[in-house]
Amino acid sequence: MRLLGPLEVWRDGRRESLGGVKQRALLAHLALHVNTGVSLDQLVEALWPVSRPRSVVQNVRTYVWQLRQLLDEQLRTHGTGYVLELSPAELDSLMFDELVADARRRPDAALDLLRQAESLWRGRPLEDLPDHDAWTPAIARLDEARLSATEQRLALQVTQGESAEAIPELRALLTEHPYRESVCGQLLIALHQDNRRAEALQVYADMRARLADELGLEPGPALREAQLAVLRDVPAAAPIRQLPPSVSDFCGRTTETGALVAALRRASVSAPVAGVTGPPGVGKSTLAIRVAHQVGDHFPDGQLYVELGGTSDHPREASEVLTELLHALGVTGAGLPAQVTARAALYRSKLAGRRVLVVLDDAASVSQVVPLLPADAGCAVLVTSRRRLAELPGALQVELPPFAPSEAAELLAGIAGEDRVSAQPDEAAAIAAACGHLPLAIRVAGARLAGRGGWSMQVLRERLIDESTRLRELSSGELAVRASFDLSVRQLPEREFQAFVRLALLGPHDFPGWVVETLLDEPGTEHLVDRLVDAHLLESNGADGIGQPRYRLHDLLRCHALEHSLPDGRAALERTLRAWLWLAVTAARRLPVTFGTTICSVDPVPAPEHLLAEPVAWFEAERRTLCGAVDIAAAAGLDDVAWQLAAACVPFFDLHSHYEDWARTHARALQSVRAAGNTAGEAALLRGICQVHIYRNEFAEAEQGLLAAQELYRSVGDERGQGTAVAGIGVVYRLRAEHERSLEFYAEALRLLESAGDLHSVAHVRASIGGVLGSLGKPDDAREWLTGARRLAADLGDAHREALVLVRLSALYRSTGEHDEELVSARRAVSILMDLTDERCTAFAQVELAEALISNGHPQQAHDLVQQALETYRRTGNREGEPAALRTLARAAGSLDQLLLPGFQPR
């Protein structure tokens, strides 16, 4: 059966007659819902949407009987309706889906598979039948799937050097979809690769002008990146590259390197796993990173790198690691499933069809690794662990022994200097032997020599002999590494030693260099950081998004440093955490106001405020560290710092849909405030957690928590807090479509917030009341509330709140037929929210703008715009937004069809 074009049924090479229009329409409806039960009522509604004959049920049964003469057992009774059971080999739309899915699983054959899939299309689905509203969503899905497959195929052609062949088709596709930025971006890349930079830049300029003139929008970030790549003459859309740099003085390990490289390059026919195991300090991570760089060209879609914390007291949970990996693959917010099995499935799905190397450093166990393994050919995994991973299925196991004497001497020479080692080879061999030939211990010894040019080799050898007890331990597993660390740390001057020990208080996350000043309560400590890096006791972790250098203590070094307690360590830790809190509060106050969040006033402390010039960029750079700081504060009993820091991060988490971080930091801080009897903090954290429940459509949990938060706020006399909790309950009832009940809670919330003098929240609740009144069919009342809310937001300078009110006003104008005002309001809202980089609310406003464009006779523009919103919803998992966007997409498609009718005149 074929529906990707005129409806056809073929049997034994002959096209079958399908009867009249109604009978063919019934078959078409069943085919669009293939392998799914369709009730009798649904069929009647689809075939006779307006007026129906008295014998409508008998007519349906007659059509079914006639079709069964043709379809044999494929058309079955299902309850009170019917189901058409077909395989991909029997229906072209199913075959299309299967070929596209197969292309994702088989990157080596993807281009041919996509071409086969596209060849199944003979025109518009069911183009020989009259349109039915009931078919619109299904046909829209098919059309979008075809367009997506075409884009994928063209992207592969460009990737595989067929840019010249792809360019004419990309131009035609852009003409057909003039607002589809993904097509425009691919055309830029193709023209750039075909050495036609001027044409590429003109295509961008035309697109930008079209978006600005016709939609009032600027190009999105992906398209802007493609343009910048053309301007800079560099490849666009770089794949993920998370590998740390390979050490320049790598040596030895020839046999192990060859085995690992050969195993990982088998990824074209399987999904190989290779494990590197051995004692701490033996160089597992160094070897893994070196090998990963060597095979990088075999994995053009990128390399993922994650540390599993296996040598720490608390190895990372698979759920947390999957969150990090999915973030790197573009999944954020509520798009992250709650269960670890679901996250693992989504992770495997995201890697399907890609050629990606995954490096899992410092694994604790096989159970920690298994959920992180890709399933498809094309990917490969490289794991390091201090424990043997014999149970890891199908993995090549490479167990690293200590260096051979020749390898140890080569490493020592690379660090301390070839001339010094060559001049005294016996002394160098003695040093290496004293280090147990462990690479990390040799590296520490070599760093000491390199930093002390006046030392002879004998000096260090004699010092190692003086430490004979510890050096004997050096050859006995983990104790050996600790002895090596201790040997190096004891050489540090007092202030460097204090910095090293106190840095260990900051946990396993990386940190910016300025924290050393705060930990020591002393300015101008950059030289201490440099010396720790030179001694290999502190790792340089590159620069963050705002250009600040970041550092990290290796887990084992951190554990060693924690053994050296200092009398004022707690005071140093609290001072640093409060500096982070002050910076977070200051940055949060420069972001759009998030309803219901409590941003506390904190006393200014010495901290680098200049880093907050771009508050969103600062939050991005510090996100993982701030989340870790909440854990550290809670563990240290600093409950006020823990909850206030968690709350200060909410405006950023909300802006960029980091719901997982939001929920986790609040849950950890909540344990701390409850243990301390901190009622105000408990109330604020409960309110914040409930907002995440609302975003995830977890309404029962949200309502229960909001009621508890309301009581806690009441017990401490916090009217503002009570108002935000009650307003949250109003949101729950609004989303349940219990509008009258919702208004009751909103009215009570408004009373409390006005009494508390929180005008930002007052504007929010007034807008919410206006929206509910509009849903109740009271446009005049709704207009009064919404215009008042917008006026108040504008007076407060709250652009974010004003934009959201404009979205509601646009919907109201549509309901009253004021379509010019509808379009103006929606465009203004999208512009404001894009400037604020709020992707979730921007998508919400884009759907409203699409509706306005439909109202004003621009369905093509609406269709392309709502696609952008859908992409955001699906990436962030916005469960409320996606259905509304799909409905708008269907309306846009229906309006496009109307444009083809004779005599139709758009507004």
Side-chain angles (χ1 to χ4, degrees):
M1 183 180 300
R2 303 201 293 179
L3 58 81
L4 301 179
L7 181 65
E8 297 177 356
V9 173
W10 289 76
R11 186 183 299 277
D12 299 328
R14 178 171 55 86
R15 181 176 172 180
E16 299 285 355
S17 173
L18 300 178
V21 172
K22 291 294 185 186
Q23 183 169 306
R24 290 162 56 224
L26 184 143
L27 177 59
H29 191 87
L30 291 169
L32 286 172
H33 301 83
V34 65
N35 299 323
T36 302
V38 180
S39 69
L40 185 63
D41 289 342
Q42 288 175 309
L43 289 171
V44 170
E45 180 68 27
L47 270 61
W48 294 277
V50 181
S51 60
R52 301 165 186 169
R54 291 182 179 179
S55 58
V56 61
V57 173
Q58 185 57 43
N59 288 358
V60 170
R61 289 173 176 164
T62 299
Y63 299 149
V64 169
W65 179 83
Q66 291 172 340
L67 288 172
R68 276 181 171 159
Q69 311 310 304
L70 175 65
L71 299 171
D72 297 329
E73 298 299 317
Q74 295 165 314
L75 181 53
R76 299 176 179 273
T77 301
H78 181 82
T80 60
Y82 305 95
V83 59
L84 181 63
E85 296 180 348
L86 297 174
S87 68
E90 296 169 317
L91 182 64
D92 58 358
S93 61
L94 292 179
M95 178 59 73
F96 171 81
D97 290 340
E98 184 174 86
L99 287 168
V100 171
D102 200 20
R104 288 195 295 269
R105 291 189 294 266
R106 299 174 54 195
D108 54 326
L111 187 56
D112 288 339
L113 290 166
L114 289 170
R115 283 174 169 148
Q116 291 177 43
E118 289 181 275
S119 70
L120 297 172
W121 287 76
R122 298 164 293 114
R124 193 169 182 276
L126 305 174
E127 65 179 24
D128 59 331
L129 289 171
D131 289 336
H132 287 274
D133 290 341
W135 298 352
T136 300
I139 290 178
R141 186 199 69 81
L142 289 170
D143 286 338
E144 175 59 25
R146 180 188 189 183
L147 179 57
S148 177
T150 300
E151 286 191 57
Q152 290 177 47
R153 188 254 303 163
L154 289 167
L156 283 172
Q157 285 186 250
V158 173
T159 301
Q160 297 181 18
E162 299 179 15
S163 294
E165 295 85 345
I167 286 170
E169 196 169 350
L170 283 166
R171 286 192 185 277
L173 201 60
L174 186 59
T175 301
E176 185 179 353
H177 302 275
Y179 306 101
R180 197 168 178 97
E181 294 188 32
S182 56
V183 175
C184 182
Q186 198 60 52
L187 179 55
L188 258 68
I189 295 169
L191 288 167
H192 183 201
Q193 291 188 0
D194 202 39
N195 297 316
R196 296 157 69 176
R197 294 178 66 201
E199 291 181 60
L201 293 173
Q202 185 61 52
V203 167
Y204 176 84
D206 293 344
M207 183 65 160
R208 183 181 182 188
R210 186 159 58 248
L211 291 171
D213 294 345
E214 300 177 26
L215 300 181
L217 301 175
E218 285 292 317
L223 185 54
R224 292 198 298 271
E225 285 182 15
Q227 183 235 8
L228 286 174
V230 177
L231 288 171
R232 296 168 181 165
D233 199 21
V234 297
I240 302 167
R241 299 283 190 237
Q242 293 188 334
L243 292 178
S246 180
V247 296
S248 59
D249 52 21
F250 183 89
C251 63
R253 307 303 194 196
T254 303
T255 301
E256 295 89 347
T257 299
L260 291 168
V261 168
L264 295 173
R265 284 185 170 165
R266 290 201 302 269
S268 59
V269 294
S270 63
V273 179
V276 182
T277 62
V282 80
K284 301 180 295 296
S285 298
T286 301
L287 174 62
I289 292 167
R290 179 76 169 193
V291 168
H293 280 286
Q294 287 191 14
V295 300
D297 60 341
H298 199 69
F299 300 93
D301 296 321
Q303 298 93 44
L304 292 165
Y305 175 86
V306 64
E307 294 175 343
L308 301 182
T311 55
S312 67
D313 292 336
H314 302 287
R316 298 178 68 186
E317 297 290 338
S319 176
E320 178 189 356
V321 177
L322 284 167
T323 297
E324 180 178 335
L325 290 167
L326 286 169
H327 280 169
L329 293 169
V331 180
T332 60
L336 290 167
Q339 300 299 320
V340 64
T341 53
R343 288 186 188 179
L346 180 58
Y347 164 71
R348 291 192 293 270
S349 175
K350 285 291 180 181
L351 290 181
R354 296 188 183 188
R355 297 177 65 182
V356 174
L357 175 65
V358 182
V359 180
L360 304 175
D361 200 4
D362 194 19
S365 63
V366 170
S367 62
Q368 186 188 31
V369 170
V370 168
L372 312 178
L373 300 180
D376 292 341
C379 293
V381 179
L382 182 55
V383 188
T384 73
S385 176
R386 65 179 178 179
R387 299 182 177 90
R388 297 185 66 182
L389 302 175
E391 314 96 295
L392 202 58
L396 168 70
Q397 299 288 344
V398 173
E399 185 164 356
L400 290 187
F403 267 159
S406 60
E407 293 174 323
E410 181 182 354
L411 178 59
L412 190 62
I415 300 170
E418 179 66 38
D419 292 341
R420 295 171 74 181
V421 171
S422 298
Q424 296 179 298
D426 292 339
E427 300 291 344
I431 291 171
C435 291
H437 297 132
L438 282 174
L440 183 56
I442 294 167
R443 186 171 295 281
V444 172
R448 295 181 65 200
L449 285 170
R452 296 161 178 82
W455 278 17
S456 66
M457 300 289 286
Q458 291 95 323
V459 172
L460 179 58
R461 178 179 62 79
E462 290 169 0
R463 287 179 176 253
L464 294 177
I465 292 173
D466 290 341
E467 302 278 346
S468 58
T469 301
R470 296 185 182 181
L471 292 174
R472 284 197 297 270
E473 294 175 350
L474 195 66
S475 62
S476 59
E478 186 171 344
L479 291 177
V481 177
R482 185 177 293 112
S484 297
F485 292 162
D486 188 62
L487 177 65
S488 181
V489 169
R490 287 181 57 180
Q491 303 301 315
L492 294 175
E494 180 63 21
R495 298 304 280 167
E496 292 173 30
F497 175 77
Q498 291 178 1
F500 174 71
V501 172
R502 288 179 179 172
L503 283 171
L505 301 173
L506 302 181
H509 304 291
D510 63 12
F511 48 81
W514 65 262
V515 301
V516 177
E517 293 188 3
T518 307
L519 283 167
L520 297 179
D521 200 18
E522 175 184 322
T525 57
E526 295 88 351
H527 64 288
L528 299 179
V529 175
D530 292 340
R531 289 175 184 172
L532 289 173
V533 172
D534 291 342
H536 295 275
L537 296 173
L538 185 65
E539 297 176 3
S540 176
N541 214 33
D544 58 30
I546 55 176
Q548 291 293 297
R550 300 189 74 83
Y551 304 92
R552 181 182 179 277
L553 277 175
H554 185 280
D555 286 338
L556 293 175
L557 282 167
R558 180 173 52 81
C559 293
H560 175 75
L562 288 172
E563 296 175 354
H564 302 272
S565 61
L566 295 174
D568 57 349
R570 178 179 172 83
L573 176 63
E574 182 172 358
R575 185 167 57 244
T576 304
L577 290 172
R578 290 196 181 278
W580 257 316
L581 173 61
W582 183 79
L583 287 170
V585 166
T586 304
R589 294 190 184 281
R590 299 176 184 178
L591 297 181
V593 178
T594 299
F595 180 76
T597 301
T598 300
I599 307 297
C600 294
S601 296
V602 295
D603 295 332
V605 296
E609 186 179 0
H610 67 277
L611 298 179
L612 307 181
E614 296 290 340
V616 171
W618 181 81
F619 268 117
E620 282 286 7
E622 296 287 354
R623 179 165 66 90
R624 286 195 62 194
T625 307
L626 290 171
C627 291
V630 173
D631 293 334
I632 294 168
L638 300 171
D639 58 285
D640 60 331
V641 175
W643 85 258
Q644 291 173 19
L645 187 56
C649 293
V650 166
F652 168 70
F653 291 159
D654 197 20
L655 198 66
H656 283 241
S657 304
H658 293 304
Y659 303 143
E660 185 74 14
D661 290 340
W662 184 342
R664 194 185 70 78
T665 54
H666 275 53
R668 182 65 184 93
L670 187 60
Q671 297 173 354
S672 178
V673 296
R674 281 177 170 164
N678 187 334
T679 304
E682 183 179 0
L685 292 168
L686 274 177
R687 176 65 181 87
I689 289 171
C690 289
Q691 191 62 46
V692 178
H693 284 315
I694 290 173
Y695 287 155
R696 291 173 169 171
N697 282 10
E698 298 165 351
F699 298 140
E701 296 88 339
E703 183 177 10
Q704 180 181 1
L706 288 165
L707 288 169
Q710 179 189 1
E711 289 303 314
L712 291 169
Y713 279 127
R714 181 181 290 119
S715 70
V716 295
D718 184 344
E719 278 193 315
R720 177 199 174 267
Q722 290 182 67
T724 62
V726 173
I729 301 172
V731 172
V732 170
Y733 279 98
R734 174 175 62 81
L735 294 175
R736 288 171 171 165
E738 299 181 42
H739 298 307
E740 296 289 354
R741 187 76 170 127
S742 175
L743 283 178
E744 295 175 12
F745 284 102
Y746 280 142
E748 174 63 12
L750 187 60
R751 181 188 68 78
L752 290 164
L753 293 168
E754 286 178 340
S755 177
D758 183 356
L759 295 182
H760 289 278
S761 295
V762 166
H764 176 91
V765 174
R766 286 182 178 176
S768 298
I769 291 173
V772 174
L773 290 170
S775 298
L776 289 171
K778 299 178 180 180
D780 293 338
D781 293 340
R783 187 190 305 267
E784 181 179 352
W785 281 93
L786 289 171
T787 54
R790 182 190 178 186
R791 192 161 46 247
L792 177 56
D795 291 343
L796 294 169
D798 190 345
H800 189 268
R801 188 74 53 219
E802 183 182 3
L804 296 181
V805 178
L806 284 167
V807 173
R808 295 184 184 275
L809 278 169
S810 179
L812 178 65
Y813 290 141
R814 181 167 63 258
S815 70
T816 57
E818 301 169 79
H819 296 304
D820 291 338
E821 292 83 353
E822 174 193 3
L823 188 58
V824 169
S825 293
R827 277 183 169 160
R828 176 62 179 153
V830 170
S831 177
I832 292 172
L833 292 167
M834 289 186 72
D835 287 343
L836 294 173
T837 70
D838 186 337
E839 60 179 4
R840 177 178 60 84
C841 290
T842 296
F844 171 58
Q846 284 176 325
V847 174
E848 185 56 45
L849 177 55
E851 290 282 4
L853 288 167
I854 294 170
S855 300
N856 284 270
H858 304 294
Q860 181 63 63
Q861 298 176 25
H863 186 277
D864 293 339
L865 185 62
V866 79
Q867 292 287 358
Q868 297 179 33
L870 269 173
E871 180 181 349
T872 300
Y873 284 149
R874 287 166 177 167
R875 178 167 46 81
T876 61
N878 190 313
R879 299 173 186 171
E880 180 188 6
E882 186 173 351
L886 287 171
R887 290 192 294 271
T888 301
L889 185 66
R891 279 191 285 274
S895 298
L896 276 171
D897 292 341
Q898 284 189 345
L899 290 176
L900 303 177
L901 297 176
F904 179 80
Q905 295 294 325
R907 292 184 74 252

